Amino acid sequence: MSVKLNLWTSRRMARIAILGALTGAFSFIPIPVMPGMTLDPVIPALAMTYYGAFEGYWCYVVGQLIRYITQSPSKLIVNPFDIFMGSPCAMIFCAWIIRKVRYPLNLIAGVLAAILFHAYTIFPYCVIVYGWELVSIVFPLQVLGALIVISVCFVVAFGGATYMWKARGEPIFPWRFIKPEERFSVANRTRILISTAFMILTSIIAYGICFTPYVSAEIAGPPYSPYRLWMDSWIRHPITLGIGWFFWEMYKRNGEWFKISE
């Protein structure tokens, strides 16, 4: 059976615009642990839980664009593609996890997935931006800050989604009740293989650069130097895009998930 999906519907675009604006607003609420940490993932976490990976990712992209324009426009100059990378990709990963793992274990799995994504992708960031000398201090603080943000996301995402499901008379996590005959895939095996290779390659590059002289103080300069920020944006940050792309292709193997949020 051939099923055609139109993801860019007017309804979805309206959701993304509204949720993206809210995401941008939440980016003004800082987490006083590490510079740049805010509560901007809260709304995308709710979106990916209730609607799915598509809305979760794109509303975060819109939110990041608002954040960069209003707070740190230099990031768009260093790498204009930066808005498509980072935490938005975590929304795709977590959306896939909470739908694949059985309820209620998916609650725990979603939290662990978010922690794992952050820890795995932020470690090379700490090395590149701060240098090995400060990693033992910066990395634990990054994880601590992430735990605070993820805790808030958990309450808002699962609490808010549960409220909306009940308000509409739907069961919690309605994808659990999709009949086998209604399931279908819109995934492409070639894309899955390419995204797998890209994910592995970006990981090798991001972690590999950490063990070269290019992150040393003699070459890269002090923490947060322009060279370090450029290297992080173009060499380390794509690791998040690799993970996001791979799990997006995996997510498409369950095309029925998109139908729920139409």
Side-chain angles (χ1 to χ4, degrees):
M1 180 180 66
S2 177
V3 179
K4 184 179 180 181
L5 286 177
N6 181 15
L7 296 178
W8 289 104
T9 62
S10 57
R11 179 178 294 183
R12 280 200 173 101
M13 286 189 284
R15 286 178 195 152
I16 290 169
I18 295 171
L19 295 172
L22 289 173
T23 301
F26 270 77
S27 70
F28 287 91
I29 305 176
I31 299 297
V33 177
M34 287 296 294
M37 275 198 166
T38 70
L39 288 180
D40 58 338
V42 170
I43 298 301
L46 172 61
M48 72 87 182
T49 302
Y50 185 74
Y51 294 113
F54 186 78
E55 286 86 344
Y57 175 81
W58 283 107
C59 81
Y60 209 149
V61 169
V62 172
Q64 282 205 144
L65 179 60
I66 295 172
R67 176 181 180 177
Y68 289 169
I69 291 174
T70 57
Q71 300 180 44
S72 51
S74 61
K75 288 190 176 182
L76 292 174
I77 297 174
V78 173
N79 185 354
F81 302 105
D82 219 39
I83 59 172
F84 302 106
M85 297 183 278
S87 297
C89 299
M91 297 301 126
I92 300 174
F93 176 42
C94 292
W96 183 82
I97 288 291
I98 66 172
R99 284 162 175 78
K100 273 296 181 181
V101 178
R102 290 181 178 273
Y103 174 78
L105 293 179
N106 61 342
L107 300 175
I108 300 173
V111 172
L112 293 178
I115 296 172
L116 176 63
F117 182 94
H118 182 77
Y120 181 72
T121 59
I122 210 66
F123 182 80
Y125 164 86
C126 295
V127 176
I128 293 171
V129 174
Y130 292 94
W132 278 106
E133 297 81 5
L134 296 177
V135 168
S136 60
I137 299 174
V138 175
F139 182 67
L141 289 175
Q142 281 283 353
V143 174
L144 174 61
L147 290 175
I148 297 173
V149 175
I150 292 169
S151 298
V152 177
C153 288
F154 176 84
V155 174
V156 174
F158 290 110
T162 299
Y163 173 81
M164 290 192 288
W165 280 320
K166 288 186 175 181
R168 297 186 61 179
E170 296 177 341
I172 298 175
F173 305 119
W175 54 82
R176 295 181 294 150
F177 303 99
I178 297 176
K179 298 177 182 179
E181 60 269 19
E182 295 177 349
R183 296 173 183 170
F184 63 95
S185 172
V186 291
N188 180 284
R189 181 173 295 182
T190 302
R191 286 178 176 270
I192 292 175
L193 292 175
I194 295 174
S195 64
T196 302
F198 184 74
M199 178 176 63
I200 295 172
L201 179 63
T202 52
S203 292
I204 291 174
I205 292 173
Y207 272 85
I209 195 71
C210 295
F211 299 95
T212 68
Y214 295 108
V215 299
S216 64
E218 293 78 12
I219 296 178
Y224 259 81
S225 68
Y227 174 78
R228 288 184 181 275
L229 294 178
W230 179 90
M231 189 161 48
D232 174 69
S233 183
W234 286 98
I235 297 178
R236 193 277 311 182
H237 221 191
I239 191 177
T240 60
L241 191 62
I243 297 172
W245 183 18
F246 171 75
F247 281 99
W248 172 248
E249 297 302 330
M250 297 300 292
Y251 191 93
K252 291 194 297 183
R253 296 177 69 180
N254 294 90
E256 67 276 4
W257 292 343
F258 295 104
K259 289 292 185 180
I260 293 179
S261 61
E262 282 184 335

